[in-house]
């Protein structure tokens, strides 16, 4: 096998990285993101119990420059209908809750660790999450196909260059 020039190695590695990242993003979306988002919302809408909770901790999901909405991953504490005290992480990030706020949550009485803000399981928020999941799936397919196209085009070009041309007489 002949040695590839540096730009050839870069093109090959870049296209393979795009393919791998696209496939990883697709699998993550299909296996985790979509089932999680749809499952939590469905369970909380069907059998969820509404209660008040106190926000005990919030952690910004990224730095301020990357997070203009101020979204945070928050934990809440509430008393379940059976009288037990529960502290759990909210299923979805929020930009509205702050530590020591009292918020309206919905929790799953069968698995009290599953809870979300009432506003997070509304139709609009669910549609936004589902739209983002679909965008991630589309992006993953585009990345995979683009990476594959670049990889195949580069192989075709390098093979065409290495073939001897027609002999002139």
């Amino acid at each position: 096998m002949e040695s590839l020039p540096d730009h050839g190695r870069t093109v090959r590695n870049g296209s393979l990285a795009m393919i791998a990242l696209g496939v990883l993003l697709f699998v993550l979306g299909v296996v985790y993101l979509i089932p999680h988002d749809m499952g939590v919302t469905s369970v909380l809408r069907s059998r969820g119990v509404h209660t008040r909770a106190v926000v005990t901790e919030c952690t910004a999901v990224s730095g301020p420059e990357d997070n203009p909405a101020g979204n945070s991953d928050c934990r809440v504490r509430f008393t379940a209908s059976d009288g037990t005290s529960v502290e759990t992480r909210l299923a979805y990030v929020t930009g509205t809750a702050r530590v020591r706020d009292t918020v309206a949550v919905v929790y799953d009485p069968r698995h009290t660790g599953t809870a979300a803000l009432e506003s997070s399981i509304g139709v609009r928020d669910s549609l936004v999450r589902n739209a983002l999941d679909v965008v991630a799936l589309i992006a993953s397919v585009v990345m995979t196909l683009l990476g594959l196209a670049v990889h195949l085009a580069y192989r075709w070009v390098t093979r065409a260059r290495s073939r001897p041309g027609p002999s002139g007489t």
Side-chain angles (χ1 to χ4, degrees):
M1 178 175 196
E2 68 183 62
S3 157
L4 293 175
D6 285 341
H7 69 279
R9 220 174 271 113
T10 301
V11 169
R12 186 189 66 200
N13 291 344
S15 65
L16 292 176
M18 282 183 70
I19 293 168
L21 188 58
V23 169
L24 178 67
L25 186 58
F26 184 83
V27 169
L28 178 67
V30 170
V31 172
Y32 177 74
L33 290 176
I34 293 173
H36 173 266
D37 290 347
M38 291 176 71
V40 168
T41 300
S42 175
V43 163
L44 293 180
R45 282 187 186 157
S46 66
R47 67 173 179 246
V49 175
H50 296 255
T51 190
R52 304 295 288 169
V54 175
V55 179
T56 59
E57 178 185 343
C58 286
T59 306
V61 292
S62 61
E65 63 282 347
D66 299 326
N67 187 12
N71 286 335
S72 297
D73 188 19
C74 295
R75 294 184 65 78
V76 294
R77 183 175 37 249
F78 59 90
T79 302
S81 55
D82 65 1
T84 60
S85 180
V86 176
E87 183 165 345
T88 188
R89 183 178 72 82
L90 292 173
Y92 306 115
V93 296
T94 178
T96 59
R98 304 287 175 253
V99 175
R100 291 187 296 281
D101 284 354
T102 300
V103 294
V105 298
V106 180
Y107 72 93
D108 180 358
R110 295 183 193 166
H111 307 283
T112 55
T114 302
L117 294 177
E118 281 182 354
S119 60
S120 295
I121 62 169
V123 172
R124 187 183 72 82
D125 286 324
S126 296
L127 287 175
V128 168
R129 267 191 307 280
N130 290 340
L132 290 175
D133 292 344
V134 169
V135 167
L137 283 179
I138 291 169
S140 70
V141 169
V142 168
M143 284 180 65
T144 302
L145 293 176
L146 185 60
L148 188 59
V150 168
H151 185 73
L152 293 174
Y154 182 75
R155 287 184 63 184
W156 181 78
V157 167
T158 55
R159 283 187 180 158
R161 283 187 192 159
S162 64
R163 287 187 195 137
S167 57
T169 53

